[in-house]
Amino acid sequence: MALISEDELDEIRARNPIFDIASGYTKLRRSGGKLLGPCPMCGGKVSSGRFEVFEKDNSWACYAYCNTGGDVISLVQQVEGCDFRAAIEKLGGRTAIDAARAKELFEERERKRLAREKTSADYREAERKRLFRTWRSALPIHATTASFYLEARGLALPDHCPGLRYLPSMAYWHGEQLDEHGRKSPRQIHKGPAMCGAFIRPDGKFGGLHLTWLATHESNELHPLLTFSKAEILDPDSGEVLNSKKMRGSKTGAYIAIVMHDAPRRLVIGEGIETVLSVWTAMHQAGRPLDDMAFWAAGDLGNLAGRANKTINHPTLKRPNGQPQKVPDRFPDLDDPGLSIPESVDELILLGDGDSEPVLTEYAMERAARRYAREGRVIRIAFAPAGLDFNDLLRAA
Ligand SMILES: [Zn+2]
């Protein structure tokens, strides 16, 4: 049998609605947008998991013991224990498809693809709105656990810091939990104070949140002296220490405004909030003029530097299989605009943390410098010494 085209497969699927075929194997009942029943392969009942059929996209899944799923052809393969070719024969075999039918099938496939994309775009927009509500409920950052935490690290806050706020009680979600009906839902494993930063997208709209969970310790019961740190959050299953920072929503091309300026002449951009604040603190304490400056945190190195045109071999690091590790190259992919640097900026200062992988950081900084280069603009790259970030440097000073 020659290769079967995508059109022919679609025609076979259209001719054999999943509901009809699955109903021939097991008894299904309707529940919401799907059909449930005992699994025709493993016999799993609703109580032990679920065999589900989705008419909307002609697919099935077993969450009982099979833990697999697919289309109508794979269902026949699995139930009958036959191969792909035999399954197609059982479904009536392939038929010649004329151009008109092929066009119809192609259009149907496109319509489904667009519907799927719209669903995920809708989901992202709903998530963005949820995060924006959280942001609006947050408190000004000054004189909170978040500002005390920063102070304890030797960092000062500008009087006006539009991009940072404080959440007294923010939930930390990790992994999933199963309820008695076998339904999965996100699991909350921690709740506590958090510093939050707002990502501002290139179109000026809110994009997402940068969250850092914090903890307060009372060092001595008789002389209550409070100390502040990042929260230690453990995975309840593995005991593994989880990252106390999370970024949610969309940060692509977006930045956190540590110091805002309508038309800055000088702009400092670093990866982390604390890195950027450490440079602001040092300049502020040295009495340097800051009137023409803006300070941004990009969240991570990839967002600071934008996409590379390709990945290249790391000069020294190897993967476990002995192959060289790949790193994004020094040259930008100019289809990705990266951050929107205001036209008014004639001096751009990029901060490279010394605690990130050195080659990765160096390439990212060079990539950013090339991407944001303009006639008459000076770009400076400042690296914290190896193993130190700017914040460590400031504390040592
Ligand atoms: Zn099953």
Side-chain angles (χ1 to χ4, degrees):
M1 183 160 74
L3 272 178
I4 302 181
S5 69
E6 200 54 39
D7 283 337
E8 286 175 300
L9 287 174
D10 271 348
E11 195 274 334
I12 292 163
R13 293 185 192 114
R15 188 154 31 89
N16 294 282
I18 189 111
F19 173 72
D20 296 351
I21 303 300
S23 298
Y25 293 133
T26 185
K27 195 169 162 45
L28 293 169
R29 68 179 171 81
R30 198 166 285 280
S31 166
K34 50 203 169 194
L35 296 136
L36 307 176
C39 176
M41 278 86 70
C42 66
K45 301 258 175 28
V46 173
S47 59
S48 57
R50 289 187 294 191
F51 175 76
E52 296 183 353
V53 167
F54 313 93
E55 284 180 297
K56 208 171 73 187
D57 60 356
N58 235 350
S59 71
W60 65 276
C62 170
Y63 301 110
Y65 302 109
C66 304
N67 223 346
T68 179
D71 66 357
V72 69
I73 303 167
S74 76
L75 179 68
V76 172
Q77 275 181 266
Q78 306 235 3
V79 179
E80 309 265 355
C82 64
D83 65 10
F84 183 73
R85 188 182 297 208
I88 283 171
E89 286 313 309
K90 283 180 201 296
L91 291 170
R94 63 204 300 201
T95 43
I97 297 172
D98 61 25
R101 180 67 180 138
K103 183 166 174 287
E104 213 176 284
L105 291 165
F106 172 76
E107 281 164 2
E108 174 71 8
R109 202 155 63 221
E110 279 298 286
R111 194 182 56 75
K112 282 184 181 159
R113 187 180 61 79
L114 289 172
R116 265 199 311 277
E117 278 178 5
K118 183 173 182 314
T119 309
S120 67
D122 286 352
Y123 172 80
R124 281 198 304 274
E125 181 57 14
E127 166 80 348
R128 193 184 74 85
K129 285 190 172 143
R130 265 197 301 277
L131 294 169
F132 187 53
R133 280 197 294 276
T134 304
W135 170 250
R136 285 207 312 202
S137 76
L139 306 171
I141 190 168
H142 294 88
T144 64
T145 297
S147 70
F148 298 145
Y149 159 77
L150 294 170
E151 234 168 74
R153 302 201 65 183
L155 300 170
L157 272 173
D159 289 339
H160 183 60
C161 187
L164 295 179
R165 288 186 187 173
Y166 174 66
L167 290 161
S169 181
M170 181 68 188
Y172 186 107
W173 303 88
H174 180 75
E176 288 176 324
Q177 59 194 6
L178 284 176
D179 68 10
E180 66 269 33
H181 306 293
R183 275 191 295 256
K184 282 183 186 165
S185 62
R187 178 176 60 169
Q188 181 186 319
I189 60 164
H190 175 82
K191 194 171 193 179
M195 174 168 74
C196 72
F199 280 107
I200 302 166
R201 302 194 306 204
D203 65 2
K205 282 190 173 172
F206 173 91
L209 284 182
H210 182 294
L211 296 156
T212 310
W213 276 266
L214 304 169
T216 308
H217 315 272
E218 218 161 287
S219 58
N220 183 326
E221 274 180 42
L222 292 173
H223 306 281
L225 178 69
L226 292 177
T227 57
F228 302 90
S229 68
K230 287 193 185 106
E232 191 182 68
I233 303 167
L234 301 177
D235 184 320
D237 300 328
S238 65
E240 174 201 355
V241 179
L242 301 171
N243 197 340
S244 54
K245 288 184 186 177
K246 273 190 183 196
M247 290 186 268
R248 286 175 56 193
S250 153
K251 65 170 190 305
T252 308
Y255 65 90
I256 299 166
I258 307 292
V259 174
M260 191 86 118
H261 197 296
D262 284 342
R265 198 182 65 72
R266 293 182 290 163
L267 172 61
V268 174
I269 311 176
E271 224 182 305
I273 292 166
E274 287 150 53
T275 304
V276 176
L277 272 178
S278 68
V279 171
W280 183 86
T281 302
M283 292 185 78
H284 176 67
Q285 287 172 352
R288 301 273 191 84
L290 299 167
D291 296 348
D292 61 350
M293 295 188 80
F295 289 76
W296 294 4
D300 63 29
L301 213 48
N303 197 41
L304 191 159
R307 207 162 56 219
N309 65 341
K310 61 179 190 317
T311 58
I312 56 169
N313 290 342
H314 190 287
T316 51
L317 292 183
K318 299 270 188 275
R319 287 182 286 172
N321 67 4
Q323 297 285 315
Q325 217 162 63
K326 296 278 183 185
V327 283
D329 199 2
R330 308 158 182 256
F331 297 92
D333 173 354
L334 292 176
D335 285 343
D336 173 14
L339 300 169
S340 301
I341 309 296
E343 285 303 323
S344 59
V345 172
D346 59 23
E347 189 177 336
L348 180 63
I349 300 128
L350 303 169
L351 308 177
D353 280 2
D355 59 353
S356 311
E357 204 283 306
V359 172
L360 188 80
T361 310
E362 198 188 306
Y363 287 8
M365 291 295 139
E366 257 194 70
R367 193 161 76 239
R370 289 201 165 92
R371 181 189 300 284
Y372 303 129
R374 293 286 180 282
E375 182 81 41
R377 180 181 288 166
V378 177
I379 299 184
R380 301 184 200 285
I381 302 175
F383 283 102
L388 281 175
D389 62 21
F390 289 94
N391 188 25
D392 293 328
L393 209 60
L394 180 68
R395 292 162 85 194

